[in-house]
Amino acid sequence: MAEESVPEGRSLKELSEEELWELINDNRHRISLGVRPCILLPYLRQVKVLTEVDEDEILSCHNLTNRCMRTSYMLDLLRTQGRNGAVALLEGLMIHYPVLYTHVTGRKPSTEPSRFSGLIKYSELTEYLIRAVTGMQTELQEARNEAGKMSTRCSSLESEVSQLMEQEEKCSHLQTENERLQRHLSSLQREVTKLKDEKCDLYIRYTTSIEEKSAINGRLHDLNLQVSFCLKISLRAYQSRDDAQAMIARILAEKDTLRSQLVELQEAVFTLQAKRNPRPRLRKSDKSTPIFSLLLSVSKSSAPPFLVRSRPKAIRVNGRVLSLSLQCEALLSELSIVGGNKSGVFVHQVTEGGAAHAAGISPGAQIVEVRYEQNSRALRMVLEDSTLEEAMWALGQVTGFCQLSLRPRQNDYEALLQQLQNSTMSSGDSFYIRVNLSLPAGASGTLAVSCNNILHVTNTRPAGTEDLWQASQVHPCQLLDLQSGTVPNYYRLVLCCDVQGSELTKEKLSSQAGRENTRSEQKAVRIVSTGRQGRNPLWVSVDEENTNGTESGSPSPPKSCVTLMPYTLVTPHFPPVCRPILLLPTILGRMLDKKLASWQGFQLCGPGKQCCGVIAPHTHLCQYSRLDCVRRLHRSEIFPVIIFIGVSARNARKLKSKLQRSGQTEEQLLACSKSEEPLLDKLPCLYHSMAPDSWCDRNSLLTSLRTIIWEEQRKVVWVEPDLW
């Protein structure tokens, strides 16, 4: 295009100003993109078409945000210089951008002095060209150095790529090897499972051999008795001495045969034992040889509940359970345990070389049940859901011959140890109790608790103590542990009271406690008793097998014995937001029920209605029924809000007119309050008690009730098991 625009034979010196700038403007876009102003400015300054101020403006102006804008602005400044500006620009392109010069002018660049326009002296031109050539050589050398660095970097990257490819190949081999090992591991696991099944079969065969051995021993014992008997009566029973001797010979021959069978069975027993556990420590002494039996069935009877639990009458032991029998002086000297009622009680450590170790007991097995003899009685204790404290006590009673029922739970045991190591839990215990007496704070982190507080017990055997529990206060509206500390355990606080005779003593005790609680702001003691009898309602109860309670040596406590309980086990319930409202005392409750029923969201459930029926959502029920209906409602999964309104003579006078309308008197209201307040201790759940000085008339009472009902609806309901 440039060659077509410039006629041949005409040099740049012959072109006019308009022709030169037309030539430049036709290629303005290409020049703006390809030229760096900082390269041309020294020459343009040398020929004096641009000043120093122009140079600073081109290079430093904030409005010129990129190189193209700066180059374009430089062209605009050169345009003001007329022909000299155009000629100086083209000469600068010829020196520094020869390719671009050729595209613009259509001519080959040349550094001959005759080709320049004479805007600069020859000596100055020569000096500038020398500087330009030197600068170009420097740039060329830098470019070559940079090319060398890039070449080196490229070689380094190629080396890294080759290394990565080698590593990828190695990873591929490792992955293949890993897959092979995984397949091998799977095959080994199948073999382990097969070996476990074979071991189980050996246990069964071993058990069968032991049973046969026991049967033969019994048969030998019978034969010995027969031989002795025959020796005594042989002269009288037979006329001939020869007949008696023949009978004795037959009996002795049968005895020898049984003895030989017994020897064979003993050899089979020891062979199976060697296959099961080939340890040189095992001795062939019947006294120290463990007796095994595999229990694949479930227990037909079980111990009564620990902690006065609401257990079924018989606990069924589910899953495969291994029963091991052993002889030891003290079981707890042979092994140690960890866990609790939530996780299960596990064998933790076994004394090396002891009877438990020789019997094959190893860490990770859950102790489900223990049987032993004490004072010629067969005792059985179920540890399926016992606390750590209960299990320690139960196993501490075992001396001599015993039988342990174990369940393999290695994964659960390892998970428990990990949690204990990470301090996410302090033991395997976790249950909730209701405190029945107030306890002040003591030294060493003892928790201060009040009567009717709910505690979450997380450890029944903290390290270094034997009579304390680790426990936390519980948030009233959710299962959230608050302040934690230690509290005395059950046996440190237990109070036993034998009531011999009529029920008058119990009523007197309850009335006295009620009067004391009325006089004090905070209830100090809740009198709760149980009809269940035994060693203690919080401990393991023991099944006595093959014994009779009427035998001498096992006295039964009197039927009228009442055991006072400092703690009772409770379970949380989360009923709907709207629950029935039960107001006490009865006389005052009947006066207020109709008023509460007029509130929005409330309705009255009188004596003629089924209080245990279905309750509509978002609806409260005002109960006419009294305390005797609470357990019946609980069995129907209905948990009423129980509010006892304290009444004084002053309050009663404020309600005189209301009482007269219902045919009641002030004295009757006070008597009703006095008689019903002691009955609150027998409730299986918590209740709210309003102090007499918290209200002064009917309106203030209703206002307080609305607030209390709203607060009680948000709380967790804690219910005790049936203690009778």
Side-chain angles (χ1 to χ4, degrees):
M1 182 185 296
E3 292 176 357
E4 292 176 357
S5 62
V6 180
E8 294 183 3
R10 298 180 65 188
S11 64
L12 295 178
K13 297 179 180 180
E14 299 173 353
L15 297 177
S16 64
E17 178 182 346
E18 287 75 11
E19 289 176 336
L20 289 172
W21 278 107
E22 183 179 356
L23 192 65
I24 292 172
N25 289 334
D26 288 344
N27 294 275
R28 186 183 182 94
H29 179 68
R30 182 175 293 175
I31 294 172
S32 298
L33 292 176
V35 173
R36 296 167 58 191
C38 60
I39 301 296
L40 293 182
L41 281 173
Y43 180 75
L44 298 177
R45 286 280 311 280
Q46 188 76 26
V47 297
K48 298 181 181 179
V49 293
L50 292 178
T51 64
E52 184 178 357
V53 175
D54 295 333
E55 181 180 8
D56 291 340
E57 190 173 0
I58 291 170
L59 296 178
S60 305
C61 182
H62 294 294
N63 294 330
L64 306 177
T65 59
N66 54 58
R67 179 170 58 83
C68 292
M69 294 177 66
R70 289 191 289 271
T71 304
S72 180
Y73 183 67
M74 181 183 70
L75 294 178
D76 293 338
L77 293 178
L78 291 173
R79 184 70 178 85
T80 62
Q81 300 297 321
R83 176 183 173 79
N84 289 342
V87 172
L89 174 64
L90 293 175
E91 289 178 352
L93 293 178
M94 183 174 62
I95 296 172
H96 294 285
Y97 296 97
V99 178
L100 182 58
Y101 173 81
T102 302
H103 281 294
V104 173
T105 64
R107 293 171 175 79
K108 295 183 179 180
S110 175
T111 57
E112 294 180 3
S114 59
R115 297 292 298 270
F116 288 87
S117 61
L119 294 175
I120 186 173
K121 294 180 180 180
Y122 181 77
S123 59
E124 294 177 352
L125 176 61
T126 302
E127 182 180 353
Y128 180 80
L129 290 176
I130 292 173
R131 289 200 306 269
V133 169
T134 303
M136 290 179 182
Q137 289 177 346
T138 303
E139 291 180 359
L140 179 61
Q141 185 64 35
E142 291 177 354
R144 287 176 177 173
N145 293 337
E146 185 67 22
K149 292 179 181 179
M150 296 300 294
S151 177
T152 304
R153 177 61 178 165
C154 183
S155 301
S156 174
L157 291 176
E158 289 177 352
S159 175
E160 291 180 3
V161 168
S162 62
Q163 291 178 1
L164 289 175
M165 293 180 66
E166 292 177 359
Q167 290 180 0
E168 182 181 3
E169 186 177 359
K170 290 181 180 179
C171 288
S172 177
H173 290 311
L174 289 175
Q175 186 175 3
T176 304
E177 181 67 15
N178 182 49
E179 293 175 355
R180 186 188 67 80
L181 291 176
Q182 290 288 346
R183 292 192 297 270
H184 182 60
L185 178 62
S186 299
S187 64
L188 290 178
Q189 289 177 344
R190 289 192 295 270
E191 292 180 4
V192 168
T193 303
K194 183 178 178 181
L195 290 174
K196 287 182 178 179
D197 293 338
E198 293 178 356
K199 184 178 180 181
C200 182
D201 294 337
L202 287 175
Y203 282 153
I204 295 174
R205 292 168 56 191
Y206 192 72
T207 303
T208 304
S209 300
I210 290 295
E211 292 175 352
E212 292 179 359
K213 176 183 174 182
S214 300
I216 292 175
N217 282 330
R219 179 58 178 163
L220 285 173
H221 180 68
D222 294 340
L223 287 174
N224 287 330
L225 294 178
Q226 291 181 15
V227 169
S228 300
F229 179 75
C230 289
L231 289 174
K232 292 179 181 179
I233 65 170
S234 59
L235 295 177
R236 290 178 293 175
Y238 294 95
Q239 296 292 333
S240 173
R241 180 179 180 183
D242 295 337
D243 293 338
Q245 291 179 349
M247 181 179 178
I248 292 173
R250 286 195 302 271
I251 293 175
L252 292 176
E254 185 178 357
K255 181 178 178 181
D256 292 337
T257 302
L258 290 175
R259 285 189 181 277
S260 62
Q261 292 178 1
L262 177 61
V263 172
E264 293 175 358
L265 282 174
Q266 286 178 338
E267 293 177 355
V269 165
F270 291 123
T271 301
L272 289 173
Q273 187 176 4
K275 289 182 179 180
R276 182 192 65 81
N277 190 8
R279 290 194 293 251
R281 288 185 299 273
L282 293 178
R283 303 174 180 176
K284 294 186 178 181
S285 172
D286 290 341
K287 183 177 181 181
S288 61
T289 301
I291 300 175
F292 295 84
S293 63
L294 189 63
L295 294 182
L296 300 179
S297 60
V298 298
S299 302
K300 295 183 179 179
S301 61
S302 61
F306 311 149
L307 293 167
V308 193
R309 294 171 173 81
S310 296
R311 279 169 151 180
K313 292 184 178 179
I315 296 179
R316 301 184 65 83
V317 179
N318 298 319
R320 176 172 290 183
V321 177
L322 184 66
S323 182
L324 288 81
S325 301
L326 66 152
Q327 179 80 22
C328 60
E329 294 183 359
L331 184 57
L332 279 185
S333 66
E334 299 284 340
L335 51 85
S336 63
I337 59 175
V338 294
N341 68 300
K342 182 180 180 180
S343 62
V345 177
F346 294 91
V347 177
H348 182 48
Q349 293 178 340
V350 181
T351 303
E352 185 77 17
H357 188 259
I361 300 176
S362 60
Q366 180 189 1
I367 303 178
V368 178
E369 183 184 81
V370 59
R371 298 170 182 257
Y372 68 102
E373 292 185 1
Q374 189 178 73
N375 299 328
S376 302
R377 292 183 299 166
L379 305 180
R380 170 179 176 269
M381 291 181 286
V382 177
L383 307 183
E384 181 79 12
D385 60 347
S386 68
T387 65
L388 182 61
E389 182 183 39
E390 293 170 344
M392 292 287 291
W393 177 86
L395 298 178
Q397 309 300 308
V398 179
T399 58
F401 181 81
C402 65
Q403 184 181 35
L404 294 179
S405 296
L406 305 177
R407 178 184 293 128
R409 288 179 56 191
Q410 189 67 31
N411 293 338
D412 296 335
Y413 169 70
E414 293 176 356
L416 173 62
L417 292 185
Q418 186 67 30
Q419 291 176 323
L420 294 175
Q421 194 173 22
N422 296 338
S423 299
T424 56
M425 56 191 302
S426 59
S427 76
D429 289 322
S430 178
F431 57 91
Y432 295 90
I433 58 173
R434 177 180 178 181
V435 182
N436 298 323
L437 72 167
S438 297
L439 299 173
S444 303
T446 303
L447 197 63
V449 295
S450 301
C451 185
N452 289 326
N453 278 172
I454 301 298
L455 299 181
H456 181 202
V457 181
T458 55
N459 192 349
T460 56
R461 283 296 294 267
T465 65
E466 293 185 357
D467 57 355
L468 295 176
W469 285 350
Q470 185 74 30
S472 301
Q473 297 276 7
V474 180
H475 193 282
C477 300
Q478 53 184 318
L479 296 183
L480 177 65
D481 290 352
L482 302 178
Q483 183 182 1
S484 62
T486 58
V487 294
N489 67 359
Y490 189 94
Y491 278 101
R492 186 170 167 184
L493 295 177
V494 69
L495 300 173
C496 293
C497 178
D498 292 335
V499 182
Q500 309 288 345
S502 67
E503 295 293 328
L504 180 60
T505 307
K506 282 195 291 184
E507 294 178 0
K508 180 179 179 182
L509 185 61
S510 300
S511 301
Q512 181 180 357
R515 289 193 298 272
E516 291 176 355
N517 293 329
T518 303
R519 288 194 297 268
S520 61
E521 294 183 2
Q522 176 106 27
K523 188 177 182 67
V525 178
R526 170 180 175 242
I527 298 179
V528 59
S529 60
T530 176
R532 298 180 180 177
Q533 301 166 4
R535 297 177 63 92
N536 196 301
L538 199 66
W539 276 118
V540 174
S541 293
V542 179
D543 275 350
E544 299 181 3
E545 300 178 352
N546 303 324
T547 59
N548 192 338
T550 60
E551 294 178 1
S552 59
S554 55
S556 176
K559 294 184 178 180
S560 59
C561 177
V562 175
T563 304
L564 299 182
M565 306 171 66
Y567 305 132
T568 47
L569 187 71
V570 290
T571 55
H573 294 268
F574 303 90
V577 176
C578 293
R579 295 156 51 196
I581 310 299
L582 183 60
L583 300 179
L584 298 171
T586 306
I587 295 176
L588 186 55
R590 289 175 180 171
M591 290 175 54
L592 299 175
D593 281 348
K594 293 182 180 179
K595 182 62 179 178
L596 265 64
S598 65
W599 292 353
Q600 183 179 0
F602 286 77
Q603 70 182 39
L604 189 63
C605 179
K609 300 183 180 181
Q610 293 295 328
C611 297
C612 296
V614 178
I615 300 177
H618 312 295
T619 301
H620 296 276
L621 291 180
C622 307
Q623 297 288 128
Y624 269 173
S625 304
R626 297 304 99 187
L627 292 177
D628 55 354
C629 75
V630 173
R631 290 194 182 276
R632 182 159 47 91
L633 290 171
H634 285 182
R635 286 192 290 269
S636 301
E637 295 297 320
I638 300 174
F639 302 94
V641 175
I642 303 171
I643 303 175
F644 181 83
I645 305 170
V647 180
S648 64
R650 181 180 178 183
N651 300 130
R653 284 195 298 271
K654 296 287 185 179
L655 303 174
K656 183 175 181 180
S657 60
K658 301 291 183 182
L659 290 170
Q660 290 177 349
R661 293 177 192 173
S662 59
Q664 304 289 339
T665 64
E666 302 172 38
E667 290 75 13
Q668 289 175 329
L669 175 59
L670 293 173
C672 180
S673 175
K674 184 177 180 181
S675 63
E676 290 185 353
E677 184 176 9
L679 300 179
L680 296 173
D681 283 347
K682 295 184 178 181
L683 289 176
C685 59
L686 300 179
Y687 59 91
H688 185 89
S689 181
M690 293 180 60
D693 56 0
S694 64
W695 60 281
C696 59
D697 55 17
R698 185 168 177 264
N699 292 333
S700 63
L701 177 58
L702 291 173
T703 302
S704 299
L705 281 176
R706 186 183 290 272
T707 302
I708 292 171
I709 290 172
W710 182 83
E711 292 175 350
E712 291 294 319
Q713 296 287 6
R714 300 171 56 244
K715 294 182 179 180
V716 180
V717 179
W718 298 96
V719 180
E720 295 173 341
D722 189 358
L723 302 179
W724 292 86

